Amino acid sequence: MKFIHKKTGVRVALTLSIALLLSASATAQTVPRLPQAEAEARAHAVLEKMTLEEKIGQVSMAHFFRFLEGGKSGPIAANAGDIFAQLLPGATLNGGGDAPQPNTPRGWADALRRLEMLGRQNLPGGVPAVFGTDAVHGVNNVPGATLYPHNLGLGAAFDPALTQELARATAADMRDMNMDWDFSPVADLGRDPRWGRFYETFGESPWLVADQITASVTGLQSGGVAATLKHFVGYGSPGLGRDRANAEISLRALHELYLPPFKAGIRAGAMSVMANSGSVNGVPVHASQKILTDLLRGELGFKGLVVSDWNDIDRLVNTFKTHADLVKATAASINAGIDLYMVPNDVEKYGAALKEAVTGGLVSQQRLDEAALRMLTFKAQLGLMDARPAGSGVITEGRALAKRAAAATLTLLENDGTLPIKTGRVLVTGPAMDSAAIQLGGWSVNWQGVGKGNVGYVPKVSTLATALKASAPAGVTVSALPDGKREALLRAAKTADTIVVALGEAPAAESQANNPKLALPAEQVQLLRDLMATDKPVVLVLMAGRPILQPEDLQNRLPVFVMAYLPGSEGGAALADALYGRAGFPGRLPFTWPGSLGEVGLTADRPPEGAGDAPLPLYPLGFGLDYTAYRTSDGQAVKTADGVKVTVTVTNTGEKAGTATLIVNASLPPAGNLEAVKRPVGVVRAELKKGEARALSLDIPAERLEAFTGDAFGAVQGKVLPGQYTFGIGDELVRLSLP
Ligand code: BGC
Ligand code: BGC
């Protein structure tokens, strides 16, 4: 058996072109269902008859438990219709806390249908409130729904077609439960792994993430729900990696790094954008007209709905202290470009503040009308102005898809030959070997993960311990022991041939998930140390939403290291296939893995050092081993109408079939400002049989080759400069002069 050597491992793959992705979904029912002009005309007709109070209600989003009995988890309240008539909300949401009763797909479908009907009866123009939710890896709040890997793992799969399929399946489940609007996908970049939402991103690299965003938006909207690009913009680089801390972003970084995923999503037709809850350059984004209007609508041409993030107008007053009171904060936010406020609790207080802002002349009638019109247009496009059939209340059994998705994410970082496990006694242990909570991560049942909050439900998942036992090949025996009884465990370790230890982060979301030291809990590190001390082959399987740093005595000594990200419902089954060699490891890192805390923030697109050597990560972007190896040859680059096409022949030189995934990097001619030594511009990827060679090509649109020229504090302009470009794919370097 041959293995690719660490760090020299070649990576390859064929990304479906954007055109192909779009055509694959062309037959599906897509939102918007009405052309913009028609939807707007219908919205106008409703708006014309609305009072000031009704318009104010229209631009407010209320928590849906306002309509449940007792104001929290429970059945729809008997007076829910009156509450609608009183609050007049344009939208409702569930943020991942409470749930209707019964808390089943049928219960959700019935509750949301009932709210739709009550909205038709009690809201102006008979237009119901639109319901939005965070279905960010499957419909993660609903018991019984299949949960897919979190985005970071999908970033590692480098397979936008898969991302599109998962988004489409999620949308289908949502429609079955009468849900219209998904607060997904996260178009932020994962550039600081300490950040609590790193796992919600598709990775660090702007254009690689952009391809995933196109896929996700297309999948969701072709499945009949509105997508939300979040969180515009710069949310992924908060100071010190702390959620919602200020981000300092230059105009160059904004254009070169942070905008591409949003541009891609807008081009794919995303119907809504959610504002960044934090601040950029000292200005809260919720009060930034430059960001929410000039940049988003002016420069990027976005025409849809801008929704605030959770309670973020209040945050201007209470947390950021940038505005003296709610009336001033409301005026600043609405004037900056927020159309809909996710209040979500004290809708009455917000209504009073907005009314005061309008009657006092701080917000114009015209701006309020514009925001309300966008809300109504959004709902017209979703079909909410027309009678429509109820969702079935029955969701799809997505286990096969979940397993395929988890398998695509798995990334092998070290292997001394212990894998695949072919024979002998296997001992499996560690807190992640049988924990639905760890395996699913945050935004699962509760926004903080399984076991948190009011809802006690624990999803059924395929765990590593169960799957290793259930699918052991002949000649392999498996025993699973909890790590708590250390003596018994170490005794059992003495007679084992291979030890599989599954470690992971406790589930969490947002600031609660910040991990400033990139560390696992001390008990887990000690467990690993104790097992390594047995001198038996140890296979570390890590379920985590970021790169984790091991202490120095362990870091470079792991014989086998599998990164499983947060693999979802079928993580165990997928891992067992890979560990036993029935499947390979197609995943490649979608981020740079730092070797020390000092290297946090190191990314592949770093510009040249001014002095000294460039820092070397522990594992670079795109790194991953497999049971086979690849060679590249015959690199070529040619000009096309809209950019450059690169082609490379990739040969599977090993003994097994596998998925070759290669990042294509570009080096630009001198631009007058620092550019990345290597800028990732796309990926080629293909499954190759043993011995198979195939020519793979990638079309690189010209915009991916733009340099962002301009002086330090001046305007920045993107242009493709004349000169020589170098494209790197695997071991091939090809040069091409443009124009
Ligand atoms: C909600 C979450 C929300 C969070 C905001 C929670 O109470 O359930 O959905 O994201 O608050 O801080
Ligand atoms: C999060 C958003 C989420 C919203 C609703 C906020 O706290 O930042 O990503 O969509 O809550 O749950």
Side-chain angles (χ1 to χ4, degrees):
M1 176 81 30
K2 270 193 185 170
F3 304 101
I4 307 184
H5 188 260
K6 175 176 168 184
K7 283 164 199 166
T8 60
V10 180
R11 324 141 253 156
V12 191
L14 171 75
T15 310
L16 285 191
S17 75
I18 287 163
L20 231 154
L21 285 173
L22 292 174
S23 71
S25 59
T27 48
Q29 185 194 30
T30 53
V31 296
R33 299 194 181 100
L34 296 181
Q36 178 87 14
E38 193 184 334
E40 238 177 71
R42 295 190 59 186
H44 259 297
V46 176
L47 184 74
E48 261 167 27
K49 302 204 181 81
M50 278 180 154
T51 63
L52 176 63
E53 285 72 19
E54 288 172 342
K55 289 173 188 173
I56 287 171
Q58 194 58 223
V59 298
S60 320
M61 179 184 263
H63 205 296
F64 91 135
F65 62 60
R66 289 292 303 260
F67 307 90
L68 303 182
E69 216 159 80
K72 50 176 190 274
S73 291
I76 300 281
N79 63 342
D82 299 337
I83 302 173
F84 268 120
Q86 181 200 323
L87 301 181
L88 304 168
T92 58
L93 89 154
N94 167 52
D98 295 69
Q101 290 302 333
N103 188 8
T104 59
R106 161 79 49 212
W108 280 84
D110 290 347
L112 294 176
R113 180 67 170 179
R114 179 105 183 94
L115 291 185
E116 182 179 332
M117 291 310 165
L118 289 170
R120 288 186 193 283
Q121 289 155 21
N122 292 285
L123 290 173
V127 184
V130 55
F131 174 83
T133 192
D134 299 281
V136 298
H137 63 133
V139 194
N140 37 253
N141 297 328
V142 179
T146 309
L147 302 196
Y148 304 114
H150 269 291
N151 288 348
L152 192 63
L154 299 183
F158 284 107
D159 187 357
L162 173 66
T163 299
Q164 182 171 327
E165 196 180 345
L166 296 169
R168 181 71 185 263
T170 301
D173 279 355
M174 287 180 69
R175 290 304 307 128
D176 285 335
M177 292 184 284
N178 299 308
M179 300 172 179
D180 284 293
W181 185 10
D182 197 356
F183 304 138
S184 177
V186 168
D188 305 310
L189 299 177
R191 311 239 344 147
D192 188 330
R194 296 171 298 184
W195 182 41
R197 308 191 73 168
F198 191 79
Y199 67 87
E200 295 185 61
T201 76
F202 287 100
E204 72 176 39
S205 194
W207 291 111
L208 309 184
V209 172
D211 288 338
Q212 300 280 7
I213 295 300
T214 302
S216 180
V217 169
T218 306
L220 288 173
Q221 296 198 167
S222 69
V225 304
T228 310
L229 302 172
K230 71 186 191 185
H231 311 76
F232 192 77
V233 63
Y235 185 46
S237 292
L240 300 179
R242 304 188 81 88
D243 190 44
R244 290 165 163 89
N246 183 52
E248 291 291 335
I249 296 178
S250 69
L251 276 180
R252 172 166 295 113
L254 175 73
H255 285 85
E256 187 168 321
L257 303 176
Y258 298 99
L259 290 183
F262 286 94
K263 272 191 195 165
I266 290 169
R267 240 176 245 163
M271 291 174 67
S272 66
V273 164
M274 189 184 291
N276 171 1
S277 190
S279 56
V280 172
N281 299 350
V283 178
V285 174
H286 279 69
S288 171
Q289 183 166 1
K290 273 263 179 278
I291 292 176
L292 296 180
T293 300
D294 301 355
L295 180 62
L296 179 61
R297 295 195 186 273
E299 194 173 323
L300 302 190
F302 179 64
K303 300 223 165 12
L305 179 76
V306 176
V307 59
S308 83
D309 201 348
W310 182 277
N311 203 229
D312 276 323
I313 299 183
D314 287 77
R315 197 188 301 270
L316 301 181
V317 183
N318 303 329
T319 310
F320 291 143
K321 305 193 190 303
T322 49
H323 294 76
D325 56 47
L326 189 60
V327 177
K328 294 199 177 78
T330 298
S333 250
I334 303 300
N335 291 334
I338 295 291
D339 296 316
L340 173 67
Y341 183 31
M342 186 189 286
V343 183
N345 294 319
D346 203 343
V347 182
E348 295 87 336
K349 189 173 95 194
Y350 176 63
L354 180 52
K355 188 167 180 184
E356 197 179 325
V358 174
T359 52
L362 294 177
V363 169
S364 67
Q365 269 290 346
Q366 198 192 358
R367 173 64 192 118
L368 177 62
D369 282 0
E370 179 185 61
L373 186 74
R374 287 200 188 118
M375 259 317 279
L376 291 164
T377 305
F378 180 75
K379 292 194 276 190
Q381 289 179 315
L382 282 165
L384 282 167
M385 286 204 188
D386 301 299
R388 52 184 194 166
S392 65
V394 181
I395 57 178
T396 318
E397 224 284 322
R399 300 226 159 233
L401 178 56
K403 182 177 173 190
R404 183 150 56 80
T409 70
L410 299 178
T411 306
L412 182 62
L413 298 174
E414 304 281 350
N415 186 12
D416 65 349
T418 300
L419 292 188
I421 301 167
K422 291 281 185 207
T423 170
R425 282 162 304 210
V426 175
L427 173 65
V428 53
T429 187
M433 75 169 175
D434 57 2
S435 162
I438 294 177
Q439 189 166 323
L440 299 173
W443 301 104
S444 303
V445 183
N446 183 268
W447 67 299
Q448 290 296 331
V450 172
K452 308 281 178 70
N454 307 333
V455 181
Y457 175 77
V458 178
K460 285 187 194 58
V461 301
S462 154
T463 68
L464 180 59
T466 312
L468 281 177
K469 280 188 194 166
S471 71
V476 174
T477 55
V478 180
S479 54
L481 278 185
D483 55 288
K485 299 193 174 127
R486 192 59 51 93
E487 261 172 49
L489 180 69
L490 293 179
R491 229 177 301 122
K494 288 207 181 95
T495 61
D497 297 303
T498 311
I499 300 170
V500 176
V501 55
L503 304 182
E505 291 183 287
E510 302 184 10
S511 62
Q512 288 90 324
N514 293 341
N515 187 343
K517 292 189 175 159
L518 303 183
L520 289 177
E523 328 68 89
Q524 295 197 30
V525 177
Q526 193 52 46
L527 171 64
L528 180 60
R529 195 173 273 132
D530 288 350
L531 294 171
M532 298 267 292
T534 63
D535 279 331
K536 299 281 180 167
V538 172
V539 175
L540 170 61
V541 174
L542 179 63
M543 297 190 195
R546 71 186 92 231
I548 291 290
L549 294 176
Q550 303 293 353
E552 264 170 40
D553 61 312
L554 299 175
Q555 179 138 297
N556 291 309
R557 285 187 46 224
L558 300 172
V560 180
F561 184 8
V562 175
M563 179 59 174
Y565 312 94
L566 298 167
S569 298
E570 290 300 298
L575 275 162
D577 281 355
L579 297 187
Y580 289 138
R582 292 188 293 255
F585 287 91
R588 301 292 179 263
L589 289 178
F591 55 80
T592 302
W593 195 301
S596 69
L597 274 183
E599 282 175 2
V600 161
L602 180 60
T603 50
D605 49 18
R606 193 174 161 78
E609 296 300 301
D613 296 335
L616 273 183
L618 185 61
Y619 307 109
L621 174 75
F623 180 73
L625 308 172
D626 203 346
Y627 293 135
T628 186
Y630 307 94
R631 187 183 65 226
T632 49
S633 58
D634 302 324
Q636 285 168 36
V638 293
K639 281 177 242 178
T640 60
D642 170 44
V644 172
K645 184 193 193 86
V646 296
T647 306
V648 65
T649 298
V650 184
T651 308
N652 181 345
T653 57
E655 301 299 315
K656 291 247 181 186
T659 303
T661 297
L662 294 179
I663 293 174
V664 179
N665 292 300
S667 306
L668 274 48
N673 58 267
L674 302 188
E675 286 295 341
V677 177
K678 290 194 276 183
R679 177 192 292 182
V681 290
V683 161
V684 290
R685 179 171 177 277
E687 281 173 37
L688 296 174
K689 296 194 195 78
K690 167 183 167 183
E692 187 180 352
R694 210 187 299 168
L696 304 179
S697 53
L698 175 76
D699 277 305
I700 306 166
E703 67 176 343
R704 298 191 180 197
L705 301 175
E706 283 178 356
F708 290 88
T709 60
D711 208 340
F713 300 111
V716 163
Q717 214 201 331
K719 22 181 188 197
V720 180
L721 297 174
Q724 194 180 62
Y725 289 74
T726 306
F727 298 95
I729 324 161
D731 294 330
E732 293 293 286
L733 280 183
V734 286
R735 295 190 197 349
L736 181 71
S737 285
L738 294 178

